[in-house]
């Protein structure tokens, strides 16, 4: 099934002078990790808000075009039903913690409490998620005393516990160091392995190239590129919208410009390692 389909979609926030989305056409399939990239104010966050129903249920404005989520027009969804179907993780881990619970365990359980999950089931689900995400060491700590990376893991744990089939994630690593960013992407990869559909707005293109199935490039409120990750990230057009290609892709292009092209332009470190290793073996063989 199609996760989200947008046809000719435009959106202008109430009281805004300029539209945030302009004539957006996009189709995202279920069961994949879809990366969304673009400069600030390109429309990434607005697109994420639309897919998770925050627009138009909470953010007022002028919405035009057709938006379908899981085969049903967006306006036919009940806001509560959407919140059970689509989990959300925000860019700032410090705003995702409720601030009203004394332990990480209780914080993770909030969403389940709101859904009316029986207490024994709730405890089982939280314990499973704590083990799955490897956060046993902080489960008794006060959420308000955690680091940014730890808070982001707790935010993910809350969403994983609710077991929504779709997860929309908006720049989850924006305030995290490389190690914490890698840990967050491993969690996201684990969600995909469970069959979840994921929409991820992210600026760390090296990680996105490694994990995403598709990449959509936003520019000035519209979709300018969308397709399989290799096709988009490896395209010469990719960098023309202000988005920086992965370091290894730039390396591959520099080698080609120097007359020493690799057999395949790499978009991940693993691919670069394989290509360069093959080149060295070939050189030694001769």
């Amino acid at each position: 099934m199609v996760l989200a389909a947008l046809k000719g979609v435009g959106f202008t926030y109430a009281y805004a002078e300029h539209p945030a989305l302009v004539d957006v056409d996009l189709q995202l399939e279920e069961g994949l990790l879809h990366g969304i990239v673009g400069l600030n104010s390109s429309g990434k966050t607005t697109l994420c808000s639309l897919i998770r129903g925050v627009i138009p249920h909470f953010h007022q404005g002028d919405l035009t075009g057709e938006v379908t989520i899981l085969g049903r027009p967006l306006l036919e969804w009940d806001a509560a039903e959407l919140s059970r179907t689509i989990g959300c993780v925000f860019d700032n881990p410090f705003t995702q913690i409720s601030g009203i619970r004394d332990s990480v365990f209780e914080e993770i359980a909030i969403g389940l409490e709101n859904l009316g999950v029986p207490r024994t089931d709730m405890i089982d689900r939280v314990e499973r998620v704590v083990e799955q995400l490897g956060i046993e060491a902080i489960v008794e700590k006060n959420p308000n005393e955690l680091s940014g990376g730890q808070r982001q893991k707790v935010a993910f744990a809350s969403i994983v516990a609710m077991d929504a089939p779709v997860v929309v994630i908006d720049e989850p690593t924006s305030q995290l160091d490389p190690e914490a960013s890698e840990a967050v992407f491993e969690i996201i990869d684990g969600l995909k392995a469970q069959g979840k559909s994921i929409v991820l707005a992210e600026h760390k293109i090296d990680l996105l190239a490694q994990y995403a199935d598709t990449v959509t490039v936003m520019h000035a409120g519209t979709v300018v590129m969308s397709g399989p990750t290799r096709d988009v990230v490896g395209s010469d057009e990719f960098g023309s919208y202000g988005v920086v290609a992965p370091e290894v892709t730039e390396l591959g292009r520099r080698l080609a410009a120097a007359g020493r092209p690799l057999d395949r332009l790499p978009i991940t470190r693993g691919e670069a390692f394989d290509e360069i290793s093959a080149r060295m073996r070939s050189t030694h063989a001769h």
Side-chain angles (χ1 to χ4, degrees):
M1 185 188 286
V2 175
L3 165 62
L6 290 76
K7 294 181 182 176
V9 172
F11 182 73
T12 304
Y13 290 98
Y15 311 114
E17 293 184 11
H18 305 288
L21 295 178
V22 182
D23 197 25
V24 172
D25 291 320
L26 182 65
Q27 182 165 307
L28 304 177
E29 303 295 328
E30 270 195 296
L32 300 177
L33 170 49
H34 301 285
I36 312 290
V37 301
L39 297 176
N40 290 339
S41 302
S42 62
K44 300 191 302 295
T45 294
T46 302
L47 179 63
C48 287
S49 295
L50 190 62
I51 292 171
R52 62 191 179 99
V54 175
I55 294 172
H57 290 293
F58 296 100
H59 291 316
Q60 300 300 306
D62 181 28
L63 177 63
T64 57
E66 299 176 24
V67 184
T68 305
I69 304 296
L70 296 173
R72 195 194 313 179
L74 178 62
L75 295 177
E76 292 182 12
W77 281 87
D78 173 70
E81 188 183 5
L82 257 181
S83 70
R84 291 192 294 271
T85 305
I86 303 178
C88 307
V89 180
F90 308 118
D91 60 337
N92 187 346
F94 293 91
T95 61
Q96 189 121 355
I97 300 296
S98 71
I100 60 173
R101 295 300 165 91
D102 295 329
S103 75
V104 165
F105 194 98
E106 294 172 346
E107 180 71 31
I108 296 170
I110 285 181
L112 299 176
E113 287 180 20
N114 292 338
L115 294 178
V117 174
R119 180 176 172 78
T120 52
D121 292 350
M122 193 187 316
I123 291 172
D124 285 344
R125 280 165 72 167
V126 174
E127 287 178 342
R128 274 204 311 274
V129 169
V130 165
E131 182 179 354
Q132 181 184 337
L133 269 59
I135 55 175
E136 295 92 341
I138 62 171
V139 75
E140 298 298 332
K141 290 190 175 182
N142 188 315
N144 299 306
E145 297 171 358
L146 301 177
S147 68
Q150 289 172 328
R151 284 175 183 241
Q152 197 62 289
K153 282 189 176 183
V154 173
F156 270 98
S158 303
I159 297 304
V160 174
M162 292 177 71
D163 202 27
V166 181
V167 185
V168 176
I169 310 167
D170 189 9
E171 304 240 3
T173 69
S174 62
Q175 302 187 42
L176 304 182
D177 61 28
E179 186 177 356
S181 296
E182 186 75 53
V184 163
F185 266 86
E186 287 173 3
I187 292 170
I188 295 170
D189 196 44
L191 289 173
K192 191 186 109 175
Q194 294 175 29
K196 309 291 186 190
S197 303
I198 302 167
V199 178
L200 170 63
E202 179 57 69
H203 63 285
K204 292 180 180 169
I205 193 64
D206 293 78
L207 285 169
L208 208 54
Q210 181 179 341
Y211 288 97
D213 297 297
T214 77
V215 168
T216 295
V217 183
M218 299 289 295
H219 180 73
T222 197
V223 171
V224 289
M225 298 181 74
S226 189
T229 301
R230 164 161 292 284
D231 294 351
V232 174
V233 176
S235 164
D236 290 339
E237 185 188 350
F238 184 71
S240 61
Y241 300 106
V243 186
V244 179
E247 291 180 357
V248 292
T249 306
E250 294 299 338
L251 171 63
R253 288 204 171 99
R254 284 198 293 272
L255 285 171
R260 302 171 64 191
L262 298 171
D263 290 338
R264 182 172 75 153
L265 183 68
I267 65 168
T268 68
R269 290 176 190 168
E271 290 177 359
F273 179 82
D274 290 344
E275 289 293 325
I276 292 171
S277 296
R279 166 70 59 80
M280 293 175 70
R281 285 196 299 272
S282 173
T283 301
H284 289 317
H286 293 95

